[in-house]
Amino acid sequence: MSNRQTNTDVILIGAGIMSATLGTLLKELAPDWKIKVFEKLADAGEESSNEWNNAGTGHSALCELNYTVEKPDGSMDISKAIKINEQFQLSRQFWSYLVNSNLIRNPQDFIMPLPHMSYVQGEENVKFLKKRFEALSNNPLFQGMEFSDDPEELAEWVPLMFKERTFNEPIATTKIDSGTDVNFGALTHMLFDHLKSHHVEINYKHGVKSLKRTSDGLWELKVKNLDSGTIERHTAKFVFIGAGGGSLHLLQKSGIPEGKHIGGFPVSGLFMVCNNPDVVEQHQAKVYGKASVGAPPMSVPHLDTRYIDNKKSLLFGPFAGFSPKFLKTGSMFDLITSVKPHNVLTMLAAGVKELSLTKYLIQQLMLSKEQRMEELRKFVPNAKAEDWDLVVAGQRVQVIKDTASGGKGTLQFGTEVVSAADGSIAALLGASPGASTAVHVMLDVIKRCFPQHLKEWEPKIKEMIPSYGVSLAENPELFHEIHTSTAQVLGLNKNLPNHVHSSEGKTKVLEQA
């Protein structure tokens, strides 16, 4: 038993982007509070936040087709796209505040400007994309979006995708240059370095085994030091469970009624990564397609330029995989042990409802490399198998719960916060758009769990996030001002720095096209 002081104000479980964001926000709002972090792995951002386990899209609905829905009357519902875009703008503002305050440096190490594109084939899909483009481009948040179904123009935009292509059906894309690629692993490390230098105690290789309420209303955590094997007990007034796929088990152990009737369904992803620098050099965008029928929204195929450790990569995927683990480093028993008497009916109902998903996952698991290459060739017609390798991405645990609209056992595809009525504990569950909207989600946690401090904290929140509480879609001038200033601070206006992308390479690509 270690004899260091074990009582604290805030405990964050899991050292991913969510805990990093909440810790950083709280450090600005309540600098005197004591904060401790427990992470079972040896470093921060190694699971869902890791750059190889996260698409890094900076989800802002600029290219993800599943955030816009065609209504029965033929009109386009863009409300979800607006909501997600506004949430990403909060992240940009907070990151800009941190850079301006010298709390983090070198934004180009975690965020890069990159066009976001949507790409569809077939007459019906082209109609859908045009309608989506018309609905979005009338909105200030999506200004600058372009639509094209002209093969020559498309070959200029994305040469790699239009080389050696036969046009046997209509094809179209939209493009918007204000998109980004975000390395959430690098950002997570920056935020934890900042927290460490501001006296936040970060404990790696410490696994939280259980947690319970004490008679005086605190939370007591039983924590195992994985190096020495010793057990420590730590108490806190507030606990945040930001342990990715590990959150559900800990939420269940807390015993709070809000955590009942919730299940989780793990889905793993596989990506193909290009190992040929000549091919990588020919593509400069994130291009999202349309999910095939029966596929879950998180499996929308996309061909992505990525910047990882200042090196340009090209990834295609995801192909869905299945593992009963809730974390990449989890246990094969995670799924089974998450089934409890209070959620078994919810889980069974989901199993019956989601037969098409089960069938889809089985088909995906059976794919050979050549079949995966065929999927890739819908994007890159002349892709060669030897240029591409398969990488296993992170585990995502989709939330299953009973909802008014979907009934018992409804699979949720977003990011969910579950908190106790008294605000003493909150857990984050779910997947995409996740990391991109971390600031919005953590502001929600603060609002739910610290309502008594909101009045005194509001001026500081507005200093960090000028659009807090305001709809940017309804205030085009404010949006324009904020979008311009954050782009400036985060270095998103300039062309890519030389160490990443040589201008010669760029002209060469265009000549080849």
Side-chain angles (χ1 to χ4, degrees):
M1 201 62 182
S2 78
N3 52 13
R4 58 194 172 138
Q5 183 213 349
T6 61
N7 195 9
T8 188
D9 294 301
V10 172
I11 287 179
L12 307 173
I13 305 175
I17 187 64
M18 293 294 176
S19 291
T21 302
L22 182 58
T24 308
L25 281 165
L26 288 175
K27 209 61 204 148
E28 293 301 295
L29 297 170
D32 302 338
W33 285 10
K34 289 199 189 81
I35 300 177
K36 281 182 190 175
V37 183
F38 294 104
E39 166 57 60
K40 69 171 193 174
L41 301 180
D43 200 359
E46 285 298 288
E47 278 279 355
S48 304
S49 310
N50 182 278
E51 51 273 31
W52 290 103
N53 295 341
N54 182 304
T57 302
H59 282 290
S60 35
L62 301 175
C63 58
E64 306 91 333
L65 296 170
N66 51 310
Y67 294 144
T68 43
V69 183
E70 198 168 354
K71 294 194 230 168
D73 68 359
S75 65
M76 193 62 65
D77 180 357
I78 61 168
S79 55
K80 189 171 184 185
I82 290 171
K83 198 167 90 184
I84 286 174
N85 188 301
E86 289 195 323
Q87 291 174 3
F88 184 63
Q89 302 305 330
L90 300 181
S91 295
R92 280 179 56 141
Q93 290 170 66
F94 183 54
W95 301 336
S96 299
Y97 164 80
L98 295 174
V99 171
N100 277 333
S101 313
N102 282 325
L103 300 177
I104 61 174
R105 290 179 179 77
N106 306 337
Q108 73 279 358
D109 290 346
F110 77 88
I111 188 166
M112 286 293 217
L114 193 67
H116 280 196
M117 299 176 66
S118 306
Y119 156 70
V120 296
Q121 291 167 293
E123 203 172 324
E124 281 308 302
N125 288 337
V126 169
K127 267 190 218 157
F128 169 84
L129 188 65
K130 193 159 180 50
K131 210 180 267 188
R132 177 184 187 271
F133 162 71
E134 283 161 2
L136 289 177
S137 50
N138 283 330
N139 188 290
L141 303 179
F142 299 91
Q143 257 168 8
M145 186 179 273
E146 301 170 76
F147 173 94
S148 180
D149 52 9
D150 168 14
E152 280 185 23
E153 186 168 31
L154 297 178
E156 277 178 33
W157 286 359
V158 269
L160 184 66
M161 290 176 62
F162 289 89
K163 227 185 245 170
E164 297 175 33
R165 181 181 284 277
T166 47
F167 291 90
N168 46 13
E169 58 177 343
I171 204 159
T173 79
T174 54
K175 173 168 90 88
I176 185 162
D177 290 331
S178 57
T180 52
D181 175 55
V182 186
N183 180 332
F184 284 106
L187 177 60
T188 301
H189 277 108
M190 284 180 184
L191 294 176
F192 276 115
D193 287 346
H194 152 67
L195 287 172
K196 200 172 172 185
S197 68
H198 286 71
H199 314 297
V200 168
E201 184 190 300
I202 302 167
N203 302 279
Y204 293 114
K205 294 193 172 172
H206 278 67
V208 176
K209 295 297 166 197
S210 63
L211 62 168
K212 61 172 192 203
R213 265 339 255 282
T214 60
S215 54
D216 51 3
L218 297 174
W219 283 98
E220 182 181 271
L221 277 65
K222 184 174 155 194
V223 182
K224 185 175 187 181
N225 178 328
L226 301 177
D227 271 343
S228 65
T230 54
I231 297 289
E232 305 164 359
R233 293 187 193 275
H234 297 265
T235 56
K237 295 173 195 156
F238 171 74
V239 174
F240 172 67
I241 307 175
S247 291
L248 181 61
H249 280 105
L250 288 168
L251 175 63
Q252 290 174 337
K253 285 177 179 173
S254 76
I256 63 168
E258 293 80 1
K260 296 193 176 0
H261 304 287
I262 293 178
F265 184 77
V267 177
S268 71
L270 303 167
F271 274 90
M272 300 188 79
V273 63
C274 183
N275 58 34
N276 180 340
D278 293 342
V279 176
V280 174
E281 210 41 61
Q282 294 172 54
H283 188 75
Q284 184 60 26
K286 284 184 188 279
V287 183
Y288 272 57
K290 223 174 172 206
S292 51
V293 179
M298 69 276 184
S299 60
V300 172
H302 45 104
L303 180 69
D304 285 7
T305 296
R306 295 291 313 271
Y307 292 97
I308 295 176
D309 303 329
N310 287 331
K311 183 173 176 280
K312 187 174 165 182
S313 323
L314 185 57
L315 277 79
F316 175 76
F319 296 95
F322 176 76
S323 153
K325 293 179 177 185
F326 277 7
L327 290 160
K328 236 173 153 173
T329 55
S331 145
M332 290 306 244
F333 297 104
D334 283 347
L335 179 57
I336 284 296
T337 56
S338 76
V339 180
K340 308 283 182 207
H342 61 71
N343 72 0
V344 66
L345 292 176
T346 302
M347 296 287 279
L348 288 172
V352 172
K353 268 189 194 164
E354 299 294 341
L355 288 174
S356 62
L357 174 62
T358 312
K359 188 176 151 203
Y360 168 79
L361 289 175
I362 292 167
Q363 287 167 341
Q364 288 271 296
L365 287 171
M366 307 299 283
L367 293 178
S368 63
K369 173 151 186 189
E370 193 39 47
Q371 286 169 311
R372 291 197 169 103
M373 289 305 299
E374 282 310 309
E375 287 300 311
L376 169 59
R377 286 185 191 117
K378 290 176 185 170
F379 280 71
V380 183
N382 62 359
K384 296 178 180 60
E386 63 268 24
D387 289 343
W388 296 81
D389 302 314
L390 203 60
V391 203
V392 179
Q395 284 287 101
R396 295 285 183 270
V397 178
Q398 305 299 144
V399 176
I400 296 172
K401 66 176 196 179
D402 307 336
T403 67
S405 56
K408 206 158 195 58
T410 305
L411 201 56
Q412 307 290 100
F413 289 105
T415 306
E416 301 249 337
V417 173
V418 179
S419 57
D422 66 356
S424 63
I425 188 167
L428 184 91
L429 306 170
S432 197
S436 302
T437 59
V439 174
H440 161 78
V441 177
M442 292 304 106
L443 285 171
D444 180 39
V445 167
I446 287 171
K447 211 184 283 179
R448 288 180 187 209
C449 299
F450 303 103
Q452 70 281 25
H453 293 289
L454 272 184
K455 208 172 160 64
E456 109 197 47
W457 286 353
E458 200 165 272
K460 183 67 182 177
I461 295 177
K462 285 189 167 155
E463 181 197 332
M464 299 190 285
I465 300 152
S467 77
Y468 177 70
V470 178
S471 159
L472 287 173
E474 289 163 23
N475 291 273
E477 281 168 13
L478 179 64
F479 168 70
H480 185 69
E481 187 188 316
I482 282 173
H483 200 259
T484 309
S485 68
T486 57
Q488 189 67 43
V489 175
L490 297 172
L492 302 177
N493 290 334
K494 52 186 182 298
N495 290 330
L496 297 176
N498 293 332
H499 67 274
V500 171
H501 196 311
S502 70
S503 52
E504 291 157 34
K506 203 161 185 182
T507 32
K508 220 178 343 197
V509 173
L510 291 176
E511 279 163 17
Q512 287 170 348

